[in-house]
Amino acid sequence: MPSLRCLGLPVLAVVLAGCSDSGPPTPPPVTSTEIRNFDFGAAEWFDVTNSVTVKLVGGMSHPEAQMAPTAFGMVNRVLGPVVYTDVDADGDEDAAVGLTAEGGQTFNTAWHIWLWQDGRAVQLRQPIALADRCQGEIESVTAKPGAFSVTAVLRDEGDSCSASGSLPVSYEVSVQDGWPVRIRPEFGPVETCNPREQTAQVVPPGELQLRTWPDEKSPAVGEPIEPASVFVDEVYVGRYFRTREDRDKQWVLVSAPLGEGRRVCGWARYPDVIPG
C-alpha cells in the first residue's frame, strides 16, 4: 500500500511541493517480458471515449468491418510508443498504450494500462490519461519502476477550445486491486481535481468516504472525512439531474479542504456530497 500521508496536497503541478511519499513497495524482479510480443495494433480494444468495443487491424479500426458500428464513424489508431513496467507487482511486465479516436471535428486520446495475466494481455478499461480537442493535451507517458508517469496540460478557464491548455500536471499511476490509482504526488484518483473547474462550494450532509473511481469497489482515498465544505464542478449544483434516481446513481469528483492549504481529491456519491 502506498503511504497516505500526503493526501492533502493541491493537484496542480505548479504547486505540488513540500511532501515526500515513500510510494508503493518495491516490485519483485521482473520475470516475464512476454507482453512485449503482444500486438496492440491487432487487438480488441474498449474505446472509453465513445463507449464502444473496436477490433484493430494493422494498428487502426475499420468501421465498415466492425460487427457493431463505431460511434459516429470514428476511426481508432494505436498511439505510441508503448511503454513497459510491472505496475501490479506480479513479476510480469505490463504496458501503457494510447488509443486515439478521430472523426469529423472530434479527436480523443486515452492511455490505458494493459496487464499481462495468465499468458495474455488484458486492457483495464479505466484510462490513466484522457484528452480531447477541448480538454488539454497529454504530453508524455513514460515508465518508471512500478509506475507509469503522465505529463499533461489542462485547460484553464480562459483557454479556447482550440488551445492545448495552460495548466501543467504530472503524476504517477500504479495498479491496486485491479484499479489504476494515482500514487504520486499524492494517493488518489487518476483524474485531476482542477480548482479552476471545481468552483462551487457545498456543505455535505455528513461523513464522506472518497474513492479513487466512481465505484464502491474501487480503493478508498484514506479514511472517511467530515469536511465543513467541499468544492465541486458547478454543473452538479444546478438542475442537471431531473429525478432523485438520477441523482442517487451519480458520483461527484470532490476537492475537500483539510486546512493549512491542503486538499484531498476523490470521488463520492452525489447524495453524500450535495443535500437533496
Side-chain angles (χ1 to χ4, degrees):
M1 285 283 293
S3 166
L4 305 186
R5 292 175 295 175
C6 301
L7 283 178
L9 285 178
V11 294
L12 292 182
V14 292
V15 292
L16 287 173
C19 185
S20 63
D21 192 307
S22 60
T26 302
V30 171
T31 59
S32 169
T33 59
E34 292 180 82
I35 196 169
R36 291 177 181 252
N37 298 320
F38 184 78
D39 187 357
F40 296 100
E44 186 175 276
W45 282 75
F46 178 72
D47 174 8
V48 68
T49 62
N50 293 299
S51 298
V52 293
T53 298
V54 295
K55 172 66 177 178
L56 303 191
V57 178
M60 64 181 293
S61 64
H62 302 269
E64 69 280 0
Q66 299 294 329
M67 295 181 63
T70 55
F72 313 113
M74 304 287 279
V75 174
N76 300 95
R77 289 182 174 86
V78 170
L79 178 68
V82 180
V83 292
Y84 302 93
T85 191
D86 180 10
V87 288
D88 57 357
D90 67 350
D92 299 326
E93 274 192 337
D94 308 300
V97 197
L99 183 73
T100 64
E102 184 175 6
Q105 297 185 7
T106 301
F107 184 85
N108 305 310
T109 302
W111 278 78
H112 289 265
I113 291 175
W114 286 71
L115 299 178
W116 190 253
Q117 296 180 334
D118 300 323
R120 64 190 185 100
V122 178
Q123 180 193 7
L124 298 186
R125 287 194 172 192
Q126 301 82 12
I128 63 172
L130 275 174
D132 63 32
R133 191 170 63 89
C134 293
Q135 292 294 328
E137 180 181 348
I138 303 168
E139 293 189 338
S140 67
V141 178
T142 57
K144 293 185 175 182
F148 293 114
S149 180
V150 178
T151 300
V153 182
L154 303 180
R155 289 182 64 248
D156 197 353
E157 185 177 8
D159 293 337
S160 68
C161 187
S162 60
S164 61
S166 59
L167 297 174
V169 295
S170 59
Y171 54 91
E172 295 180 16
V173 180
S174 189
V175 172
Q176 184 179 109
D177 299 328
W179 299 84
V181 295
R182 184 184 297 218
I183 59 172
R184 299 184 188 93
E186 74 285 332
F187 183 84
V190 170
E191 186 164 355
T192 296
C193 278
N194 187 345
R196 308 297 173 85
E197 295 179 346
Q198 293 172 300
T199 57
Q201 188 173 15
V202 297
V203 179
E207 186 177 78
L208 287 181
Q209 174 61 73
L210 302 183
R211 296 197 173 274
T212 49
W213 290 92
D215 192 307
E216 289 285 2
K217 299 177 182 177
S218 68
V221 182
E223 299 297 324
I225 58 175
E226 294 188 51
S229 64
V230 299
F231 290 88
V232 301
D233 192 309
E234 64 181 6
V235 68
Y236 292 109
V237 298
R239 298 182 179 275
Y240 183 71
F241 303 108
R242 297 181 179 179
T243 66
R244 178 174 292 275
E245 183 180 7
D246 290 339
R247 185 198 71 176
D248 290 348
K249 290 181 179 179
Q250 187 69 25
W251 288 71
V252 183
L253 189 64
V254 169
S255 177
L258 298 180
E260 300 180 352
R262 300 183 307 129
R263 292 174 181 262
V264 61
C265 177
W267 290 93
R269 288 192 175 279
Y270 186 99
D272 294 337
V273 178
I274 301 174

